[in-house]
Amino acid sequence: MTALPRLVVAAPASGHGKTTVTTGLLAALRRRGLAVSPHKVGPDYIDPGYHALAAGRPGRNLDPWLVGEELVVPLLRHGASVPVPADVAVVEGVMGLHDGAVGRAGYASTAHVATLVDAPVLLVLDTTAQGRSAAALVLGMRAFDPAVRIGGVILNRVGSPRHETLLRDALAEVDVPVLGAVTRAVEVAAPARHLGLVPVAERAPESLAVVEALAGLVEATVDLDAVLALARSAPPLTVDAWDPVTAVGGPTGGDRPVVAVAAGAAFTFSYAETTELLTAAGATVAPFDPLRDPALPAGTRAVVIGGGFPEVHVEALSANTGLRAELADFAGPVVAECAGLLYLGRSLDGVPMCGRLDHHARMTGRLTLGYREAVAATDSPVHPAGEPVRGHEFHRTVTDPGHGDRPAWHWDGTGHGFVTGQVHASYLHTHWAGHPRAARRLVEAAAR
């Protein structure tokens, strides 16, 4: 049995300020000298970047859809164990407390994860234009699923001392503790754009200033002792931590092939477990920045290009002609998700890209978003044909054509993505902790 103080920060809906409060809490607790382990419910890549900046250690995702219910607690424990054991874990929820996979009765919701990790919930309420009704809202959230323990509330965007008193009195009527009242502070909000917040990697100095401001805001408006007491009320965990070496079955043997992983401002979407699994499988992971590096790392035998915002950096990516040419001719296995798919195509919004895949991509006004149940359509360096995989999509671009003669995936009765030679590319994001064989298969292909 392992004692890990922990809590889940949730809200009735998106936009109530979960990320603001969570990031501020992480930074404020770290200022106290605590080792804080940051986590995020769902497939989000951007919020964990802010969490990592605030906590000083990787932000990690907890998503039952992507990895299975049985891995949620082991992954929580793993994240809270490295690089050093954490004093407390803070888990930011996704959307509204009970919003999960569509048509699945709350599966993969914040409430689902809170019950899996057996943690109390700290509910963040946007109190703009709301008074005593806030108590009725919290009462309904608490009654909807008695298995979810709402241990307290943080009032967000409180307009005045009188407003705060009104809200505190109302919540006292339903016996829900108020652990903080955060005033309106637009000046410390992180900027957003078409897919959410701007990633930390694109604005590091400004992001650090935002995190520092949020830490000060939370220190001034939230009872951190009460928050820690709530986290310490979580019972001990009885499940072992996830181990990447065990997950992949140990290293493949032989030399350690170099696997180059795209990084930098254009390719920020990556789960921390991806590089851990590649390393555990016997690879030497070498990051590279397609915006700046003129060539792949020396000795590269395989390439991983994850998600991000190539549409924001399209001119700079195109200008790096040496790297584009190398990727067009690279003979080893290449795995690309979403942004990587766009980068490997012939053009993005009319601007030349690598030309490795025979498609043209463009931005649209339509958001494609959701969980997917896919089946590998073609043998590739990461998946054998017929393998079932769960993933998610999140993009505002389309490719023409939408898939190749040998698609990467099938779902909803059609093909998706491309398998060309040793290239596997699609819009589908997957979490390799849920499919660790993908990492081992890629390293084996690289070693060959």
Side-chain angles (χ1 to χ4, degrees):
M1 298 178 70
T2 301
L4 175 63
R6 61 197 181 276
L7 57 83
V8 175
V9 180
S14 296
H16 278 241
K18 294 189 303 293
T19 302
T20 295
V21 170
T22 302
T23 304
L25 273 176
L26 291 167
L29 292 171
R30 185 184 179 194
R31 281 184 179 181
R32 282 198 168 194
L34 298 174
V36 192
S37 183
H39 303 265
K40 171 70 180 182
V41 177
D44 189 317
Y45 294 99
I46 299 176
D47 290 352
Y50 285 88
H51 296 172
L53 195 61
R57 60 199 287 160
R60 296 174 182 268
N61 297 68
L62 302 175
D63 191 320
W65 179 271
L66 296 181
V67 303
E69 288 181 312
E70 70 282 357
L71 281 185
V72 169
V73 172
L75 286 169
L76 170 68
R77 286 211 53 207
H78 171 69
S81 301
V82 294
V84 296
D87 299 306
V88 60
V90 178
V91 182
E92 181 187 345
V94 62
M95 300 185 293
L97 176 60
H98 297 283
D99 300 326
V102 175
R104 302 266 177 169
Y107 190 93
S109 67
T110 302
H112 184 199
V113 171
T115 57
L116 289 174
V117 303
D118 201 1
V121 170
L122 181 58
L123 198 65
V124 178
L125 289 183
D126 180 355
T127 62
T128 304
Q130 188 170 215
R132 190 165 179 262
S133 296
L137 175 60
V138 174
L139 188 63
M141 299 293 288
R142 187 171 64 180
F144 186 77
D145 184 354
V148 179
R149 178 164 69 97
I150 297 178
V153 170
I154 288 183
L155 308 172
N156 193 25
R157 303 183 185 123
V158 175
S160 66
R162 184 183 178 202
H163 187 206
E164 180 181 342
T165 299
L166 171 65
L167 292 163
R168 286 182 178 274
D169 288 347
L171 285 159
E173 293 183 52
V174 295
D175 196 27
V176 175
V178 175
L179 306 190
V182 181
T183 55
R184 293 168 192 168
V186 177
E187 68 276 7
V188 298
R193 60 176 180 228
H194 58 281
L195 292 181
L197 297 180
V198 176
V200 163
E202 292 189 36
R203 51 188 306 277
E206 296 87 351
S207 298
L208 185 59
V210 167
V211 168
E212 289 299 310
L214 289 174
L217 182 68
V218 165
E219 285 176 331
T221 58
V222 173
D223 185 345
L224 290 177
D225 290 328
V227 170
L228 286 170
L230 179 62
R232 289 167 181 152
S233 72
L237 294 170
T238 59
V239 179
D240 290 339
W242 178 80
D243 174 50
V245 175
T246 302
V248 297
T252 58
D255 66 345
R256 298 187 66 88
V258 174
V259 177
V261 177
F267 297 96
T268 57
F269 292 5
S270 179
Y271 297 124
E273 293 81 2
T274 298
T275 55
E276 291 173 339
L277 285 164
L278 289 170
T279 301
T284 297
V285 176
F288 71 101
D289 186 349
L291 289 173
R292 295 183 170 85
D293 294 335
L296 292 170
T300 293
R301 305 263 287 278
V303 178
V304 176
I305 311 174
F309 289 99
E311 63 271 23
V312 177
H313 305 278
V314 63
E315 297 291 348
L317 288 170
S318 185
N320 192 350
T321 55
L323 181 61
R324 287 201 291 120
E326 185 176 0
L327 284 167
D329 295 332
F330 182 72
V334 180
V335 182
E337 288 185 353
C338 201
L341 166 71
L342 307 182
Y343 182 51
L344 291 180
R346 294 197 175 280
S347 68
L348 173 55
D349 286 334
V351 180
M353 292 286 102
C354 294
R356 182 66 182 266
L357 298 175
D358 190 16
H359 71 70
H360 297 273
R362 59 182 172 84
M363 284 289 294
T364 73
R366 177 176 178 269
L367 176 63
T368 300
L369 168 68
Y371 286 129
R372 304 287 184 255
E373 289 187 281
V375 175
T378 308
D379 276 326
S380 76
V382 276
H383 298 285
E387 181 181 15
V389 171
R390 282 185 167 185
H392 73 101
E393 284 189 287
F394 189 46
H395 57 92
R396 289 188 182 273
T397 59
V398 295
T399 64
D400 182 19
H403 61 83
D405 295 335
R406 301 172 70 219
W409 309 106
H410 275 127
W411 73 76
D412 291 343
T414 188
H416 299 266
F418 302 78
V419 174
T420 303
Q422 294 233 70
V423 177
H424 179 282
S426 76
Y427 277 118
L428 193 69
H429 293 284
T430 60
H431 196 308
W432 283 5
H435 311 282
R437 178 63 187 169
R440 186 175 184 87
R441 190 175 169 95
L442 180 62
V443 174
E444 289 173 344
R448 289 194 298 270

